[in-house]
Amino acid sequence: VIINNTGTVKVKVTSELVNTNDDIFFNYLQLKDSSSPWKKIDEFTTNVTTKKTVYIRLDLSELDMNLEYNVLGHTNDIKFLAMAA
């Protein structure tokens, strides 16, 4: 995801899932930018002065449950919130 700040003020960007009851995406979806480690979606924050790339991955390596259904096609939306930093 590319976040483009077209204004003149540095912004702080955070992220959240639209459907927060989604255990798979809430617990295993991770985000990072070029200067930070992977973080859970509700822990991610970054400052943007002009343009920044945010990487997203679904890391199921620590999954400790059996999936009772096929997750292919399973979706959720990410909301990015921007405010003056």
Side-chain angles (χ1 to χ4, degrees), residues 38-84:
W38 290 104
K39 295 180 182 176
K40 286 178 54 176
I41 189 165
D42 63 329
E43 299 169 351
F44 176 78
T45 184
T46 188
N47 290 319
V48 181
T49 53
T50 56
K51 184 186 221 180
K52 188 169 277 191
T53 301
V54 175
Y55 303 92
I56 303 171
R57 74 177 180 184
L58 184 61
D59 182 7
L60 299 176
S61 64
E62 300 292 323
L63 185 69
D64 59 354
M65 65 180 181
N66 289 329
L67 294 176
E68 297 178 8
Y69 55 91
N70 188 340
V71 295
L72 292 176
H74 186 79
T75 63
N76 200 330
D77 293 310
I78 301 171
K79 184 187 320 183
F80 289 97
L81 308 166
M83 61 206 82

Side-chain angles (χ1 to χ4, degrees), residues 17-31:
L17 283 176
V18 171
N19 177 5
T20 57
N21 294 324
D22 186 329
D23 289 338
I24 292 174
F25 285 127
F26 184 77
N27 291 309
Y28 301 102
L29 191 66
Q30 300 176 345
L31 290 85

